[in-house]
Amino acid sequence: MFFPFTKIRLANMSASKKLSAREIERKFLLKRFPPNLKKFPHDTIEQGYLATGRGGLQVRLRKKGSVRSLTYKQGTKGEREEREIRLSVEQFNALWPATAGRRLTKVRYDVPWKSHTIEIDVYRGRHDGLVVAEVEFDDQRSCAGFEPPDWIGRDVTGKPKYSNVALAHD
Amino acid sequence: MFFPFTKIRLANMSASKKLSAREIERKFLLKRFPPNLKKFPHDTIEQGYLATGRGGLQVRLRKKGSVRSLTYKQGTKGEREEREIRLSVEQFNALWPATAGRRLTKVRYDVPWKSHTIEIDVYRGRHDGLVVAEVEFDDQRSCAGFEPPDWIGRDVTGKPKYSNVALAHD
């Protein structure tokens, strides 16, 4: 069972492409860690980029726990395409060296909050100390109605300096 | 046996990277087809690009016969890095739609000539009629001593208009 997943997400694509739910995300800094953070499910994520380019283009390699994947992303907020395949250890290892100089490491905690999951990314290495929380919403209504817990800080949605591509290239 | 090959080719890389044989190639147009072309081993190649960028960067998907692969290439003549993994049908199919508008099709014939193999690419689709021959050499001496058969035409080595990336984007 080499390939338990293949994820294809097409957000708000133009006529020629499949239409699916718009991907709505918000990103925040943290005032402080939520209580008992380490009790929540978490994985170390290592990721690196084979390619990044204009229009939000990225070809990303990621190892999350023991799951290795390659993800193609293109487009910005309004129109996004995302395609992801799982890689075997051998496939991942063959490509990974090509991401040298364009990598980052973080620990991701999945913290449930009301009907949402708040993903808390604690960066390691060069960005040690940086902590970012991300929440994904099914629709605008759900996004608008989001009441963050009191440990959530400033909204940094869309700020380039907090994008993973930017953090990997620093 | 999902992954019979993983090819990593590092040509003349800088200190921090593994050193291996320099990759020396020449590309030619054809005066005419060699006799009995269709008797030589050949495969239809479909390829498309997930990403292309400066410095010879490309992330390419390729289907050659029934063999599907993803190749990362970076660098130009002097310093090149190439990493290739085989993909399963499912992996390939999940990524392939992302190459729309950056694809080409050709039939590749492997024609033995003295101690070399001349790869003859007969383009299909938009480039129907274009035929290019490519020869790879182990070293400069072998390259310099190459005596082409009489059906080989003009040397177009390094001409951007005959690069596959350019042909895929036309």
Side-chain angles (χ1 to χ4, degrees):
Chain A
M1 300 312 298
F2 254 159
F3 305 113
F5 73 82
T6 296
K7 186 172 82 177
I8 300 174
R9 186 156 59 174
L10 300 170
N12 200 31
M13 297 305 293
S14 52
S16 65
K17 301 190 178 158
K18 255 182 263 174
L19 219 78
S20 84
R22 191 192 197 102
E23 184 181 289
I24 304 163
E25 287 173 349
R26 287 177 73 189
K27 195 178 270 194
F28 303 92
L29 300 182
L30 257 66
K31 285 185 200 159
R32 57 183 178 276
F33 285 116
N36 303 313
L37 179 62
K38 287 191 195 311
K39 290 202 323 198
F40 294 106
H42 56 280
D43 274 311
T44 296
I45 293 176
E46 287 181 83
Q47 65 191 42
Y49 296 89
L50 289 180
T52 60
R54 277 171 302 184
L57 171 68
Q58 52 174 273
V59 183
R60 183 189 75 193
L61 294 180
R62 176 183 269 187
K63 180 172 175 288
K64 185 185 179 197
S66 63
V67 176
R68 293 158 179 85
S69 57
L70 181 148
T71 306
Y72 166 89
K73 293 190 188 188
Q74 192 169 36
T76 46
K77 246 189 262 175
E79 185 163 328
R80 280 180 66 176
E81 183 178 2
E82 183 173 332
R83 298 175 179 275
E84 184 168 290
I85 60 170
R86 184 157 176 179
L87 298 181
S88 71
V89 175
E90 293 72 22
Q91 289 177 314
F92 184 88
N93 289 346
L95 296 175
W96 181 250
T99 64
R102 301 184 299 277
R103 294 178 183 161
L104 59 83
T105 305
K106 57 191 182 181
V107 181
R108 169 166 294 175
Y109 297 83
D110 288 334
V111 178
W113 173 254
K114 297 185 174 172
S115 62
H116 305 286
T117 297
I118 303 180
E119 296 175 341
I120 298 182
D121 286 343
V122 180
Y123 286 82
R124 299 295 185 209
R126 286 166 306 149
H127 302 296
D128 209 19
L130 175 63
V131 183
V132 167
E134 209 169 49
V135 193
E136 201 172 310
F137 302 96
D138 292 333
D139 51 47
Q140 290 292 359
R141 205 175 138 215
S142 164
C143 181
F146 179 63
E147 294 177 15
D150 61 2
W151 41 265
I152 283 282
R154 186 155 64 92
D155 189 325
V156 294
T157 307
K159 293 226 183 292
K161 71 177 278 197
Y162 295 109
S163 80
N164 281 304
V165 169
L167 292 169
H169 282 78
D170 265 357
Chain B
M1 297 316 299
F2 253 160
F3 304 113
F5 74 82
T6 296
K7 186 171 82 177
I8 300 174
R9 187 155 59 172
L10 300 169
N12 199 30
M13 297 305 292
S14 52
S16 66
K17 300 186 181 162
K18 256 181 264 176
L19 218 79
S20 87
R22 189 190 199 105
E23 184 180 289
I24 304 163
E25 287 173 351
R26 287 177 73 188
K27 196 178 268 191
F28 303 92
L29 300 183
L30 257 64
K31 285 184 200 157
R32 57 183 178 277
F33 285 116
N36 302 313
L37 180 62
K38 288 191 196 311
K39 289 201 324 197
F40 295 105
H42 55 280
D43 274 311
T44 296
I45 293 176
E46 289 181 83
Q47 64 192 42
Y49 295 88
L50 289 180
T52 59
R54 278 172 300 184
L57 171 68
Q58 51 174 275
V59 183
R60 183 190 77 191
L61 293 180
R62 175 183 270 189
K63 181 172 175 290
K64 184 185 179 199
S66 63
V67 176
R68 293 158 179 85
S69 58
L70 180 148
T71 305
Y72 166 90
K73 292 190 189 190
Q74 192 171 34
T76 46
K77 248 190 262 176
E79 185 164 327
R80 281 179 67 177
E81 184 178 1
E82 183 173 332
R83 296 172 181 276
E84 184 168 291
I85 59 170
R86 184 156 175 179
L87 298 181
S88 70
V89 175
E90 293 74 22
Q91 289 177 312
F92 183 88
N93 289 346
L95 296 175
W96 181 249
T99 65
R102 300 184 299 277
R103 293 178 186 161
L104 60 82
T105 305
K106 57 191 181 182
V107 181
R108 169 166 295 175
Y109 298 83
D110 288 335
V111 179
W113 172 253
K114 300 187 174 173
S115 63
H116 305 286
T117 297
I118 302 180
E119 296 175 342
I120 297 183
D121 286 343
V122 179
Y123 286 81
R124 300 292 185 213
R126 284 167 304 150
H127 303 295
D128 211 15
L130 175 63
V131 183
V132 168
E134 208 169 48
V135 194
E136 201 172 309
F137 302 96
D138 292 334
D139 51 45
Q140 290 291 1
R141 208 178 134 210
S142 164
C143 181
F146 179 63
E147 292 177 16
D150 61 2
W151 41 265
I152 282 281
R154 185 155 63 91
D155 188 327
V156 294
T157 307
K159 293 226 184 290
K161 71 178 277 202
Y162 294 108
S163 80
N164 281 303
V165 169
L167 292 168
H169 282 78
D170 264 357

